Amino acid sequence: MIDVHYWPTPNGWKVTIMLEECGLPYNIVPVDIGGGDQFTPEFLRLSPNNRMPAIVDHEPLGGGEPLALFESGAILEYLAEKTGQFLPTEPAAKYSVLQWVHWQMANLGPMMGNANHFKNYAKNIIDDPRQLDYGTKRFVGEVSRLSGVMDAQLAVHPYLAGAEYSIADIITWPWAFLIGRMLDESMWDEFPSLKRWVDEVGERPAVVTGRRVGRELGKRELTEAEEKARRELLFNQTNEKVRAAREAAARANA
Ligand SMILES: N[C@@H](CCC(=O)N[C@@H](CS)C(=O)NCC(=O)O)C(=O)O
């Protein structure tokens, strides 16, 4: 059995979609990131970067003790190797998939996270909205550029890494399908091949099911005070602020 330390967000969906695609049984362990579960000693032992998703595989590839992993890219690569699915073994094909996996992890995910932050969240935090202009322009501009990169690739290939559906698609779709919703629905007009792929992948049964996992978890209405505490927790994580949790975890896990 695989434990998935999870909250229903794009990075979490990558793992549930992959597990559904592979037909592997799994058990969801909720990590309420707005409530601070990512700072508990138990979670920091699995994921020292205080970010979900993380997994624990109790019957790991290669045998032995349960294997804990954080970072969605590493998790998908591991599950692909474990099941022999969605990552070819022939070197040229394998690395053509992995270059897109790394592209998502280093580009689309972080840029969309920041674009969403500046465009949708930051106005609730700062007093002068003009302070948001530069950050919004910079990150929305990057998402537009990255959408063009995907669109050009998908204009000549059915899937991101070529002819076959792979972990490159599984890792990218949970961010890509939100581009219009997070930024601007009219963006799709500029990227028809990307839109074709978003719609097609979105119809796969494993994608539909994986994205629904834990839907109810994030649904509770928060009070204004809870919302404020959540913003402080998620958007103000200097070393000074998280050091205490890390040190407490180190003591508890020693
Ligand atoms: N590169 C990481 C990013 C994970 C990530 O940013 N997770 C967010 C939720 S989508 C999180 O756990 N945030 C908790 C926090 O900011 O403290 C991955 O792909 O696994």
Side-chain angles (χ1 to χ4, degrees):
M1 179 64 82
I2 296 179
D3 292 335
V4 186
H5 295 257
Y6 171 88
W7 201 246
T9 73
N11 289 316
W13 296 328
K14 294 169 180 175
V15 177
T16 47
I17 291 171
M18 178 66 177
L19 287 160
E20 291 291 334
E21 291 282 16
C22 294
L24 285 172
Y26 59 97
N27 166 46
I28 292 291
V29 183
V31 181
D32 178 357
I33 56 175
D37 289 354
Q38 69 275 41
F39 293 108
T40 63
E42 299 73 34
F43 185 71
L44 285 171
R45 184 168 54 224
L46 308 176
S47 180
N49 192 37
N50 66 267
R51 298 282 190 274
M52 71 89 220
I55 63 165
V56 179
D57 186 353
H58 295 274
E59 288 141 293
L61 181 65
E65 292 294 301
L67 176 79
L69 276 179
F70 68 99
E71 281 295 327
S72 56
I75 295 170
L76 262 58
E77 199 176 329
Y78 170 76
L79 294 173
E81 200 179 330
K82 178 175 168 129
T83 60
Q85 295 184 77
F86 307 112
L87 179 63
T89 48
E90 187 272 312
K94 173 176 174 176
Y95 286 99
S96 108
V97 170
L98 289 181
Q99 70 188 347
W100 283 99
V101 169
H102 287 272
W103 175 87
Q104 189 288 322
M105 294 295 291
N107 292 273
L108 189 68
M111 293 304 145
M112 277 193 72
N114 280 317
N116 189 34
H117 180 82
F118 278 92
K119 196 165 168 22
N120 300 322
Y121 280 113
K123 58 176 174 283
N124 303 315
I125 301 169
I126 62 157
D127 297 329
D128 179 359
R130 282 171 310 180
Q131 287 179 353
L132 299 178
D133 290 350
Y134 180 78
T136 306
K137 185 166 177 284
R138 158 80 186 144
F139 293 113
V140 173
E142 269 296 280
V143 175
S144 154
R145 181 184 72 79
L146 295 167
S147 301
V149 171
M150 288 186 281
D151 192 64
Q153 176 74 356
L154 291 164
V156 289
H157 298 286
Y159 297 106
L160 272 178
E164 304 291 334
Y165 180 71
S166 71
I167 55 170
D169 303 289
I170 296 172
I171 208 156
T172 304
W173 186 87
W175 282 105
F177 93 96
L178 288 171
I179 286 173
R181 204 180 301 172
M182 273 184 184
L183 304 179
D184 183 349
E185 289 296 348
S186 71
M187 277 180 75
W188 292 124
D189 302 343
E190 227 184 301
F191 309 115
S193 301
L194 176 59
K195 181 75 170 82
R196 183 263 307 153
W197 169 88
V198 159
D199 290 346
E200 220 176 277
V201 172
E203 281 170 14
R204 293 179 67 92
V207 175
V208 174
T209 310
R211 191 163 83 80
R212 283 203 189 122
V213 172
R215 220 178 223 190
E216 68 292 349
L217 292 170
K219 285 241 161 101
R220 188 170 75 80
E221 281 282 321
L222 300 179
T223 63
E224 203 169 311
E226 282 175 320
E227 190 56 60
K228 192 160 178 277
R230 179 180 171 277
R231 285 199 296 265
E232 174 65 20
L233 188 75
L234 288 175
F235 304 138
N236 200 4
Q237 292 184 6
T238 60
N239 181 48
E240 200 187 338
K241 299 233 157 117
V242 302
R243 188 197 286 137
R246 216 175 27 238
E247 288 173 356
R251 281 195 300 278
N253 293 330

